[in-house]
Amino acid sequence: AFNPAGGMHHAHADRAAGFCIYNDPAVAIECATREHAGLRVAYVDIDAHHGDGVEEAFRQRSDVLTLSVHETGRYAYPGTGHVRDIGEGEGRGFALNVPLPLYAGPESFRLVTERIIVPALAAFRPDVVFLQAGADAHSADPLVQLENTVEGFTDTVEGVVRAADELCDGRLVMTG
């Protein structure tokens, strides 16, 4: 499934945030895990901004892995998503943040895909992968300076799609 207008990952349960009135990834994941007991969902977020709302929604759960690759919060909204943020309680170890430095570029995204995203998915063994593929890490975006390219995005998305094919029979939900 693909929703190019979705991926509003900043809204929280009690408030809108970062241009996001609601949090469609969190709602979709919550609905799926309620309808299918025992379902394991891996949420991969490659938007330039930390997927703080989704991480907050599931930070105490071990059935949802949240993995966010984003520009360091030192400069970019929302200022969260530090490597030390790994979840809490039962969810400790099920949140993974990869804050990238300014001007990281496509090679950094390739390395993150190969060395962090794909191995984390393989270790978690999800039943479905949810990919938030916001394109604001692109070099033309005026709000961040990650300097990714179309080829860099393609490599990352293809890596996640391959992992979903191998790990969960291609069950993938993607937002733009």
Side-chain angles (χ1 to χ4, degrees), residues 157-175:
V157 171
E158 286 178 349
V160 173
V161 169
R162 275 193 305 275
D165 285 345
E166 293 171 15
L167 299 168
C168 52
D169 296 323
R171 287 185 293 273
L172 175 69
V173 176
M174 190 163 92
T175 59

Side-chain angles (χ1 to χ4, degrees), residues 29 40-45 54-55 58 61-68 86 91 93-97 116-117 119-126 128-130:
I29 293 167
R40 295 171 60 80
V41 179
Y43 172 78
V44 178
D45 190 323
V54 178
E55 182 178 303
F58 301 105
R61 291 176 52 175
S62 61
D63 60 335
V64 178
L65 171 70
T66 60
L67 194 163
S68 181
I86 60 170
F94 292 91
L96 179 59
N97 286 290
I116 298 174
I117 296 173
L121 292 174
F124 182 68
R125 307 288 309 167
V128 63
V129 175
F130 194 115

